[in-house]
Amino acid sequence: MSGILVITEQSGGAWHRVSQEALGAGLELGRALGVAVRACVYGSGASVAAAELAAYPVEQVIALESPLLEAYTADGAALALEWLVREEQPEVVVMPHTYQVRDYASRLATRLGRALLADATGFRVEDGAAVFQRQLFQGKLTGDFVFETPGPNFVSVQAGSFRAPEAGAAAAAVETRTPELDAARIRQTPEAPFREADRAVDLTAAERIVAVGRGIREEGNLALAQELAEALGAELGASRPICDNGWLPMERQVGSSGQTVAPKLYVAVGISGAIQHLVGMKGSGCIVAINKDADAPIFEAADYGIAGDLFDVVPALTEALKKARG
Amino acid sequence: MKILVALKQVPARDSLLRIGAGGCWLDEADLSYEINEPDAYALEAALRLKEQQGGEVVVLTAGPERVSSSIREALAKGADRAIHIEAEGLEGWDALGLGRLLAAAAAAEKPDLVLTGLQSDDAGSGQTGVALAELLDLPHATIVMAVEAAEGGVRVKRELEGGWFQHVSMPLPAVLTIQSGINKLRYATLMGIKRAKTKEVKRVTAAELGVAAAPGLRLKRLYQPQRVKQTQFLAGTPAEQAAALVEKLRFEARVL
Ligand SMILES: Cc1cc2nc3c(=O)[nH]c(=O)nc-3n(C[C@H](O)[C@H](O)[C@H](O)COP(=O)(O)OP(=O)(O)OC[C@H]3O[C@@H](n4cnc5c(N)ncnc54)[C@H](O)[C@@H]3O)c2cc1C
Ligand SMILES: Nc1ncnc2c1ncn2[C@@H]1O[C@H](COP(=O)(O)O)[C@@H](O)[C@H]1O
């Protein structure tokens, strides 16, 4: 049992961008613990992606190939990667915390009798062992976690938490492996991914966005945010619960399951700042948060904060903007 | 169709979270609790499936005495009966341990379908349902947005990233982890609340189920996140805060 195995994610040769961050996390961990790092890629396009991975400073790249991995299934991924982990015996397996990893990783870890440390945001080494950080209570608190079990232990890393490494010139050896898979044990039949109907608004093109969250309480109160948006010349966006309730259409949802936006100005009104929302707006030029809870995670992403009741602050802000514009 | 719904009780959403003595969990003294949000949607999905196809909805929850209030709520909404795994200190259990605990009780029920939430609002590991599926040796799908009966099984709509979706079919029995917002939650009726009192709640302990805590992953310390970004907080009355912000946006950030 030794070293670190990073399992990356791609489809048809196109990377999931958190893959490189997971690679960065694996390399950092490898340096901190003084152990070797290997990287693995699976699924359709694995050989193309493996050649790219070889440019990173890893010891070895493994392309895991099987006709049964061409279309992703949870059973297929869990069984194939279980096979690889048993063959390779890594001490730590590092993965990006993507939807696909959320789907199969716990199945994989359970098959090996382990718990997965999901969505890690960082680590430090204490007495030769890694202590990992992850968020609890929707980002309001952080926990330090340690593994009590011998390897293989499993960690997935949160988007935006680790730096992607530079690809260098050194070419690592690429090895193609074919897992022993029994088609009868793959029970899910997937269909092709699809998108819902075309969008009427393109939030990604908006220069300014006022996004409203559950703090607005009722559909009728949306007018407050609408007026602020008008005064700013902004589009209206929302957190997920607002769209789930049908108060605004899905196309206005910002976050991991909605749009990723990067306007010049993003004003978050009554939004707590869960990671799934943050990943969709962190890249905005200037972020303003209005929230009654001064400890809300959204303030961590904000340049300017108003800790206060949105029902007082938003009308005042609309007023001040109108005045300023004269 | 017999549907098992794994339901977790968590601190209510707007709770003031204070770290407890020992620094490993919350000070639970003043907390109020509610059903974990996606679990409420899982229960609703189960009740709808039962209304279409007949069968039984059984609630499965592990936790201390306080979770009885969530069990009553689920029964009042229409679940037929409940299994309460009585256990203290579950915050120290990892998802594999919780999966083992739930699986021990679930296996005996031989359900056709097991629904869980996709993630808990407190621990948030997003794994217990998937671990449970593996331990029961059942197929699963995560982040489920819709469930329909299909030839010999179920066809579900899964949410993928960035506005993409996918249909996946699998045979029953199966485990599905349900996303928030997939349906409209019902309220308990007065009649439902009355009826709930007569419904069966089976109590078992972890020891009776033969499952002991053996965490592979241990929470050493819980704390407020360190701030890295320097947010400029604007002070004063709402009018003063608004005026200050407009100034900043115009002359400092130059985004107006
Ligand atoms: C797989 C997955 C995908 C997801 N995808 C997305 C996504 O794409 N986008 C997304 O947004 N979420 C997504 N979520 C949900 C996400 O985890 C959060 O649950 C959600 O973002 C919370 O929305 P919110 O901040 O509006 O609500 P809450 O978390 O309930 O926050 C409401 C906030 O309003 C504040 N507030 C209340 N009253 C007032 C008042 N009077 N004045 C000022 N402030 C007030 C509160 O302090 C609180 O901070 C996803 C979750 C999962 C598991
Ligand atoms: N103590 C528990 N009792 C019943 N169900 C639980 C419990 N803990 C977790 N679950 C289920 O597992 C899901 C995922 O939880 P988690 O893995 O903690 O994110 C929850 O939404 C619940 O459906």
Side-chain angles (χ1 to χ4, degrees):
Chain A
M1 193 90 32
S2 75
I4 290 164
L5 178 67
V6 180
I7 300 176
T8 58
E9 183 176 322
Q10 58 86 39
S11 175
W15 291 107
H16 191 298
R17 62 180 182 82
V18 193
S19 285
Q20 271 67 23
E21 296 173 17
L23 198 59
L27 287 165
E28 266 182 51
L29 194 59
R31 268 194 302 276
L33 298 174
V35 297
V37 180
R38 286 161 289 173
C40 157
V41 61
Y42 62 93
S44 72
S47 50
V48 180
E52 266 183 58
L53 268 190
Y56 291 96
V58 292
E59 191 123 308
Q60 188 193 21
V61 174
I62 301 167
L64 194 62
E65 291 195 328
S66 159
L68 294 175
L69 291 175
E70 283 299 297
Y72 167 81
T73 59
D75 279 342
L79 290 168
L81 291 164
E82 178 198 0
W83 177 86
L84 185 70
V85 170
R86 288 192 191 281
E87 289 271 305
E88 295 293 319
Q89 303 273 308
E91 185 69 30
V92 184
V93 178
V94 179
M95 296 170 278
H97 193 67
T98 62
Y99 278 31
Q100 201 169 97
V101 165
R102 294 176 65 112
D103 195 47
Y104 76 77
S106 187
R107 186 142 215 148
L108 166 64
T110 301
R111 290 188 68 80
L112 289 149
R114 294 291 181 274
L116 162 74
L117 193 156
D119 219 11
T121 54
F123 75 89
R124 61 174 188 276
V125 173
E126 259 174 31
D127 306 326
V131 179
F132 292 92
Q133 282 82 50
R134 64 179 296 271
Q135 300 178 324
L136 292 97
F137 297 93
Q138 303 232 329
K140 292 184 193 108
L141 297 175
T142 305
D144 279 351
F145 287 84
V146 287
F147 287 113
E148 305 269 275
T149 37
N153 281 308
F154 296 83
V155 184
S156 65
V157 302
Q158 186 167 92
S161 294
F162 291 88
R163 207 183 300 259
E166 298 283 328
V174 177
E175 197 188 326
T176 300
R177 309 284 294 272
T178 305
E180 290 155 21
L181 282 185
D182 174 2
R185 294 180 65 198
I186 298 176
R187 296 160 291 188
Q188 297 93 355
T189 311
E191 297 171 37
F194 65 95
R195 270 177 185 269
E196 304 285 18
D198 276 351
R199 303 181 167 135
V201 281
D202 182 11
L203 282 188
T204 61
E207 289 213 339
R208 303 187 188 95
I209 294 175
V210 170
V212 51
R214 187 139 56 183
I216 201 79
R217 280 209 293 263
E218 285 172 25
E219 187 172 10
N221 296 336
L222 280 180
L224 278 180
Q226 184 70 56
E227 285 156 21
L228 175 60
E230 273 158 25
L232 273 171
E235 281 287 352
L236 202 55
S239 68
R240 181 169 184 134
I242 301 300
C243 301
D244 280 348
N245 285 339
W247 298 352
L248 284 174
M250 250 288 275
E251 61 200 19
R252 293 197 182 263
Q253 181 180 315
V254 173
S256 66
S257 50
Q259 309 273 348
T260 300
V261 299
K264 283 203 303 200
L265 174 65
Y266 190 90
V267 184
V269 177
I271 291 177
S272 62
I275 181 65
Q276 294 88 1
H277 187 81
L278 293 181
V279 295
M281 43 68 77
K282 270 200 306 208
S284 304
C286 172
I287 298 172
V288 175
I290 301 170
N291 195 304
K292 68 173 184 191
D293 173 9
D295 290 327
I298 188 73
F299 286 121
E300 183 57 32
D303 299 289
Y304 302 106
I306 297 185
D309 189 329
L310 73 90
F311 295 101
D312 300 327
V313 174
V314 171
L317 186 55
T318 306
E319 204 48 47
L321 282 162
K322 282 186 183 155
K323 227 186 267 167
R325 295 223 154 159
Chain B
M1 172 143 48
K2 187 197 251 188
I3 309 171
L4 209 60
V5 181
L7 201 141
K8 186 180 192 183
Q9 191 184 58
V10 296
R13 198 176 302 117
D14 275 346
S15 299
L16 181 65
L17 304 176
R18 273 196 309 252
I19 312 286
C24 274
W25 199 243
L26 299 180
D27 174 357
E28 300 203 341
D30 302 319
L31 283 181
S32 58
Y33 291 87
E34 62 189 12
I35 294 177
N36 184 44
E37 189 175 27
D39 304 6
Y41 288 95
L43 173 64
E44 180 64 38
L47 295 172
R48 288 178 187 213
L49 279 169
K50 180 192 151 180
E51 280 156 10
Q52 287 162 18
Q53 324 222 341
E56 190 185 20
V57 173
V58 183
V59 164
L60 174 60
T61 181
E65 179 51 36
R66 62 170 159 76
V67 308
S68 299
S69 62
S70 294
I71 292 178
R72 271 199 304 278
E73 185 183 335
L75 294 175
K77 284 186 169 188
D80 296 286
R81 60 191 171 85
I83 302 167
H84 178 177
I85 305 172
E86 294 176 297
E88 302 276 342
L90 285 181
E91 62 276 4
W93 291 47
D94 59 33
L96 179 61
L98 283 170
R100 284 183 174 139
L101 191 58
L102 298 177
E109 288 286 332
K110 299 203 171 20
D112 299 300
L113 192 60
V114 180
L115 302 185
T116 76
L118 85 167
Q119 190 167 314
S120 58
D121 281 347
D122 52 358
S125 78
Q127 293 184 63
T128 308
V130 180
L132 178 60
E134 176 56 36
L135 292 163
L136 294 172
D137 194 19
L138 300 179
H140 81 272
T142 53
I143 323 193
V144 168
M145 300 292 297
V147 187
E148 55 182 295
E151 266 297 291
V154 281
R155 181 169 179 262
V156 303
K157 179 178 167 191
R158 288 192 62 215
E159 177 180 307
L160 307 177
E161 275 146 296
W164 290 84
F165 299 92
Q166 178 183 38
H167 284 108
V168 178
S169 303
M170 72 201 78
L172 290 177
V175 178
L176 306 176
T177 81
I178 303 292
Q179 171 66 291
S180 284
I182 78 164
N183 46 39
K184 281 247 171 302
L185 301 179
R186 71 190 64 195
Y187 290 99
T189 59
L190 263 177
M191 184 62 119
I193 294 169
K194 245 187 223 158
R195 270 205 205 121
K197 298 193 174 113
T198 64
K199 290 178 176 171
E200 178 195 315
V201 180
K202 184 172 145 195
R203 291 162 179 269
V204 284
T205 62
E208 283 163 354
L209 291 169
V211 182
L217 198 54
R218 186 166 60 82
L219 175 58
K220 272 179 70 174
R221 196 164 76 85
L222 186 66
Y223 50 95
Q224 297 278 349
Q226 294 118 327
R227 285 202 190 286
V228 278
K229 184 140 177 183
Q230 295 298 320
T231 308
Q232 287 191 46
F233 280 96
L234 305 170
T237 64
E240 288 161 358
Q241 288 171 317
L245 180 61
V246 172
E247 280 287 302
K248 298 274 184 194
L249 294 181
R250 281 181 108 178
F251 302 113
E252 200 173 84
R254 297 174 186 280
V255 288
L256 290 188

